[in-house]
Amino acid sequence: MPLFNVPKEVAVGTAMLGVAFATGMLAGKRYPSLGFGTSKSSKSIIGKSGPLWQYILDHSLREHPILKKLRLLTVDHPWGKMMVSCDQAQLMANLVKLIKAKKVIEIGVFTGYNTLNMALVLPDNGRVIACDINEDYVKIGKPLWKEAGVEHKIDLRIKPAIQTLDELLASGEAETFDFAFIDADKESCNEYYEKCLRLIKKGGIIAIDNVLWSGRVLKPRKDDLATQSIHHLNEKLLRDARVNISMLPMGDGVTLAFKL
Ligand code: SAM
Ligand code: CA
């Protein structure tokens, strides 16, 4: 039996499809560039919609029941489209498991779908340092972290992520992390990448989300700082000898950077 019906799944799981929403009022503040689509339509820059997309989900998605519960809860949130796509989350969980990660960082938690996703596959003494500035979003997912029995693996830091990363570096945690997921304000993506690169061990992985930015990277406008920032990081990564990379057309595009 299919786990999803297509329209709901497109609205829920692909999260980033459609034209990226460039501005939004979130918790009384304007966040120009967090990464989500404007419509619930199945319009996609990578064609992931309709029966074939449903087939992919039906034949690959293995979602923990509480993770599914959080995804369905998040979908009904006004900013539900910010959530990472479920297929991408599963890839990240598989990578975290494959490299036997113990310490991971998430920059941009939202309701904590991917935080839970990673915590579920970490060993009991593993840790997710979960960075966000909006506690109201996180409050939605927190009870489900507890229900899943992984709350003790999640170290939530409510403050600007740059500050958390600087604190981790200052407390001597450079080169101690295995995996990082960068998915917050896009203007800061280069800074997040540079700091994560220092925090990650050799052999560790950094996943950078929204690298295609609904196609805007093809023609970055000068006044569009988010697109400029993503595009510059994409160009830099191509030549960055400190990492090997793969840019995947999953969700709104995700680059995996493997630290050498
Ligand atoms: N990774 C999440 C998931 O898997 O569902 C989605 C994250 S959402 C696209 C972006 C998040 O970044 C929002 O929850 C927002 O509050 C957070 N954010 C924005 N600016 C931030 C900053 N300077 N520091 C930390 N978090 C920030
Ligand atoms: Ca994202």
Side-chain angles (χ1 to χ4, degrees):
M1 200 173 97
L3 283 168
F4 313 96
N5 64 56
V6 171
K8 180 128 183 163
E9 186 52 45
V10 167
V12 177
T14 60
M16 315 306 174
L17 304 182
V19 179
F21 195 83
T23 59
M25 285 298 272
L26 305 182
K29 288 187 174 179
R30 284 190 84 75
Y31 294 122
S33 56
L34 301 179
F36 48 96
T38 47
S39 89
K40 286 195 174 184
S41 81
S42 58
K43 190 178 159 205
S44 164
I45 52 164
I46 52 172
K48 279 189 175 170
S49 61
L52 203 49
W53 172 233
Q54 182 67 58
Y55 185 91
I56 291 170
L57 297 179
D58 289 347
H59 293 84
S60 68
L61 197 64
R62 300 176 181 179
E63 198 178 32
H64 187 287
I66 300 173
L67 194 58
K68 181 176 178 183
K69 197 167 155 186
L70 180 49
R71 180 169 54 80
L72 295 178
L73 191 68
T74 304
V75 139
D76 292 328
H77 188 279
W79 303 107
K81 293 189 195 73
M82 290 205 295
M83 180 173 47
V84 73
S85 69
C86 49
D87 56 332
Q88 187 182 328
Q90 184 168 299
L91 172 65
M92 290 194 282
N94 283 333
L95 289 170
V96 164
K97 252 179 131 166
L98 180 76
I99 64 172
K100 298 185 172 57
K102 277 196 179 153
K103 281 175 77 178
V104 312
I105 307 170
E106 180 165 64
I107 302 176
V109 172
F110 188 39
T111 63
Y113 175 77
N114 189 52
T115 319
L116 175 59
N117 171 55
M118 297 197 293
L120 283 166
V121 295
L122 285 175
D124 203 52
N125 63 351
R127 287 291 171 272
V128 186
I129 306 289
C131 311
D132 210 293
I133 47 173
N134 189 321
E135 198 156 20
D136 289 340
Y137 295 154
V138 184
K139 273 185 193 155
I140 297 167
K142 255 183 157 180
L144 295 174
W145 298 350
K146 196 168 180 192
E147 192 180 330
V150 297
E151 197 189 23
H152 63 287
K153 299 186 206 172
I154 301 171
D155 178 352
L156 179 64
R157 313 264 180 115
I158 299 290
K159 58 179 83 168
I162 293 285
Q163 202 179 316
T164 299
L165 299 177
D166 283 340
E167 285 167 7
L168 293 170
L169 287 165
S171 62
E173 296 196 56
E175 306 224 341
T176 65
F177 285 84
D178 305 286
F179 188 91
F181 181 44
I182 300 177
D183 190 21
D185 52 312
K186 304 307 169 194
E187 289 84 350
S188 305
C189 63
N190 184 54
E191 263 188 285
Y192 294 146
Y193 170 69
E194 286 299 333
K195 290 183 195 295
C196 283
L197 199 57
R198 290 173 61 196
L199 286 163
I200 295 284
K201 294 174 186 167
K202 284 192 172 71
I205 303 171
I206 303 175
I208 304 151
D209 203 26
N210 303 103
V211 295
L212 299 178
W213 206 228
S214 299
R216 289 180 188 196
V217 288
L218 291 176
K219 247 188 179 180
R221 285 200 338 250
K222 283 211 172 84
D223 60 342
D224 180 351
L225 296 182
T227 309
Q228 289 282 348
S229 171
I230 294 166
H231 178 60
H232 284 145
L233 181 56
N234 288 343
E235 297 227 307
K236 173 171 125 175
L237 284 170
L238 177 63
R239 295 173 184 83
D240 191 339
R242 299 170 294 175
V243 291
N244 282 337
I245 57 166
S246 286
M247 185 186 265
L248 308 178
M250 199 173 222
D252 189 31
V254 56
T255 292
L256 300 176
F258 304 87
K259 184 169 171 178
L260 299 171

